[in-house]
Amino acid sequence: MSRFLDVGVASLVPYVPGEQPKDAGYIKLNTNESPYPPSPSVIAAVKAESEKLRLYSDPETSDLTAAIAEFYGVGQKNVIAGNGSDEILAFIFKAFFGEKGAACPDVSYGFYPVFCSLFGIKYNPVPLDENFMIDASAYVDVMDNIVIANPNAQTGIYLPLDKVEEIARSRPDRLVVVDEAYVDFGGETAVPLTKKYGNLIVVQTFSKSRQLAGGRVGFAVADESLINDIKTVKYSFNPYNVGRLGIAAGCAAMKDREYFDACRSKIIATRGRVAYELAKLGFTVLPSKANFLLIRHGGVGGEEMYRALKQRGVLVRHLKDERIKDFVRVTIGTDDEMDVFLKKTAEILGELK
Ligand code: PMP
């Protein structure tokens, strides 16, 4: 820490992203990326756009918001795009949460409390129930704004849409932000509900189901007045927040529905098979509708499992949160990658006997 660091920043505990090793030898199941490449139309669009990199990108990201609006059947004015959904979430926390505070599940995306400390927002963790489920009724009387990931981060458990609606309906004077980073792997999006509830913001990303984690594209859908408020923060911070390549990639990805459906169907099928095999090996597997599984084995601790797999060339994620420290989180890769993961896992368990 330098002697120049602001005291407010010195006390921050930043978010720690999963490892991104330079060594391509690992089977990488640690940051919930897609194991499949971007669609061929994305690659062609990015190549064509690279000719124009001399020029700034469109600050309104109009082509991208039009493609998103068309996909979801909402107005273009109901959409804002960002440099990954992390940026969109940061804009939202900054725009709306100062006075209200943020109520979030106690086990969820680790960035929510970090945004709270960055922007001086009160963080109110609401416990998941004993089965790691979000209890919608626990949010009804909460006065803070609410942020839930659905399916929830780390657990993968999906909260049915009627429960999301119940939370949004119960108190129209507080915002409900639904982070749907993983919704395309078996959940149902709350986007249509944004037409009915002026206090609901749905956030999504191109990083998981649209193969663009490195392209950094995310977006939010909400009532136009909320989108305009988010734009006030964006234009006070980084008007050209999505670069030309991100806009081109995002547009092409949104338009290639066939490729999107093919990739997510493969991941859903692989997830089912892997969950079944892990249960046979004696793992507790939380019921996931995401592109990852949170798993625990009585015979081996979470950290130990993570290390043993890493030694064998498979990277998974171990999260230190008290309630899930006995688990590891395993991204769903290709079938071949998951076969190696299952084989190495069985080996590790065999050696413990
Ligand atoms: N929300 C959740 C729940 C996530 O797990 C992630 C990925 N780490 C994000 C948002 C951010 O994704 P991105 O910034 O890549 O869009």
Side-chain angles (χ1 to χ4, degrees):
M1 186 190 304
S2 80
R3 65 198 163 88
F4 300 106
L5 189 66
D6 186 272
V7 283
V9 176
S11 61
L12 289 180
V13 181
Y15 176 73
V16 182
E19 297 157 87
Q20 297 290 347
K22 290 271 183 284
D23 174 1
Y26 281 109
I27 291 183
K28 195 170 175 308
L29 309 176
N30 68 330
T31 47
N32 299 340
E33 291 136 330
S34 174
Y36 301 110
S39 113
S41 63
V42 167
I43 292 169
V46 167
K47 273 193 187 146
E49 191 65 18
S50 62
E51 309 261 334
K52 300 183 206 144
L53 281 176
R54 182 179 67 81
L55 299 170
Y56 279 112
S57 56
D58 168 17
E60 279 294 294
T61 66
S62 305
D63 293 347
L64 179 56
T65 51
I68 296 166
E70 196 194 328
F71 188 96
Y72 285 105
V74 296
Q76 195 171 350
K77 290 189 172 148
N78 300 109
V79 184
I80 181 171
N83 197 272
S85 56
D86 281 340
E87 187 190 57
I88 289 286
L89 287 164
F91 290 166
I92 291 170
F93 274 84
K94 177 69 185 167
F96 304 113
F97 280 68
E99 285 159 40
K100 278 273 190 181
C104 315
D106 61 342
V107 177
S108 193
Y109 186 31
F111 229 132
Y112 306 149
V114 175
F115 286 137
C116 287
S117 51
L118 177 62
F119 296 129
I121 296 162
K122 179 178 67 107
Y123 171 62
N124 174 11
V126 179
L128 297 178
D129 72 14
E130 66 284 3
N131 297 317
F132 295 96
M133 316 264 269
I134 290 175
D135 173 10
S137 66
Y139 290 86
V140 169
D141 292 325
V142 164
M143 304 305 278
D144 307 307
N145 286 335
I146 290 168
V147 184
I148 53 174
N150 195 30
N152 196 13
Q154 325 315 353
T155 68
I157 297 174
Y158 173 71
L159 180 70
L161 215 49
D162 58 328
K163 297 288 180 191
V164 173
E165 183 164 8
E166 189 182 309
I167 296 172
R169 194 194 313 118
S170 58
R171 280 185 190 272
D173 55 343
R174 69 180 178 194
L175 269 185
V176 177
V177 179
V178 185
D179 177 352
E180 294 189 335
Y182 302 105
V183 79
D184 296 324
F185 303 104
E188 195 182 344
T189 179
V191 164
L193 293 178
T194 59
K195 293 181 185 171
K196 198 163 156 196
Y197 297 98
N199 61 332
L200 180 65
I201 305 178
V202 175
V203 177
Q204 285 201 15
T205 178
F206 284 69
S207 297
K208 320 290 177 185
S209 57
R210 297 180 197 271
Q211 291 75 231
L212 283 181
R216 311 303 303 126
V217 191
F219 62 95
V221 182
D223 185 77
E224 189 181 336
S225 62
L226 294 174
I227 296 296
N228 288 339
D229 292 344
I230 301 169
K231 282 187 184 171
T232 302
V233 177
K234 165 190 147 127
Y235 281 101
S236 307
F237 179 72
N238 187 9
Y240 309 105
N241 61 331
V242 191
R244 281 186 172 272
L245 302 183
I247 294 173
C251 278
M254 234 343 141
K255 288 175 183 164
D256 196 343
R257 285 181 192 235
E258 223 174 284
Y259 189 80
F260 164 70
D261 283 331
C263 291
R264 65 194 184 126
S265 303
K266 278 195 277 190
I267 287 166
I268 291 168
T270 308
R271 180 184 70 205
R273 182 176 73 83
V274 173
Y276 176 76
E277 293 297 333
L278 285 167
K280 279 207 300 196
L281 289 173
F283 279 89
T284 300
V285 182
L286 297 194
S288 170
K289 292 233 164 161
N291 66 338
F292 59 84
L293 294 168
L294 192 67
I295 63 171
R296 174 179 58 191
H297 195 285
V300 48
E303 176 134 29
E304 202 182 344
M305 187 76 203
Y306 155 79
R307 285 188 197 288
L309 280 165
K310 188 171 177 183
Q311 252 177 14
R312 288 165 176 79
V314 180
L315 264 189
V316 298
R317 189 94 192 258
H318 175 246
L319 294 141
K320 294 192 165 49
D321 311 38
E322 192 52 36
R323 287 189 72 181
I324 55 168
K325 65 178 179 2
D326 296 335
F327 290 78
V328 289
R329 193 192 69 192
V330 185
T331 303
I332 303 300
T334 62
D335 278 311
D336 287 352
E337 287 175 328
M338 299 320 281
D339 285 342
V340 177
F341 158 74
L342 287 167
K343 188 164 158 258
K344 302 288 177 194
T345 301
E347 250 173 56
I348 293 164
L349 295 179
E351 280 170 22
L352 286 172
K353 277 187 191 145

